[in-house]
Amino acid sequence: MEANPWRDRVRQEEELLEQLQTQVNAAAKRRAAALAEGVAELGSVYAVAKDLGKGWTTVDQAIKKHNGPTRKGPTTTP
């Protein structure tokens, strides 16, 4: 059985990469929405980060990148 020509394989892999990137972007938006919901519940980015065991900048940047800026900064405590 003969393998597909390399051009076809490259095209197939590029299509797969495009599909995966679409899924990654959608997951990042859903994650940002969940993080923002955590901020609304716990009162601050810092509280969410602490609860998840992550740095507050990681949480803050994820929300800003995919969900707009947060309303409460890292020093706000409940």
Side-chain angles (χ1 to χ4, degrees):
M1 185 168 171
E2 195 172 314
N4 289 340
W6 67 269
R7 285 182 179 87
D8 290 341
R9 293 193 320 265
V10 169
R11 193 172 8 262
Q12 289 171 346
E13 296 304 326
E14 286 175 346
E15 289 173 7
L16 178 59
L17 286 170
E18 187 176 321
Q19 292 170 4
L20 291 172
Q21 189 61 49
T22 298
Q23 291 180 13
V24 166
N25 289 337
K29 287 180 183 181
R30 290 190 305 269
R31 176 177 175 249
L35 289 168
E37 187 177 322
V39 171
E41 181 182 313
L42 299 179
S44 71
V45 169
Y46 177 78
V48 171
K50 184 176 178 184
D51 188 77
L52 296 174
K54 298 187 180 293
W56 75 266
T57 55
T58 301
V59 173
D60 191 53
Q61 289 172 359
I63 294 171
K64 285 179 181 176
K65 183 174 181 182
H66 298 286
N67 208 35
T70 58
R71 294 184 189 197
K72 296 183 180 180
T75 58
T76 304
T77 55

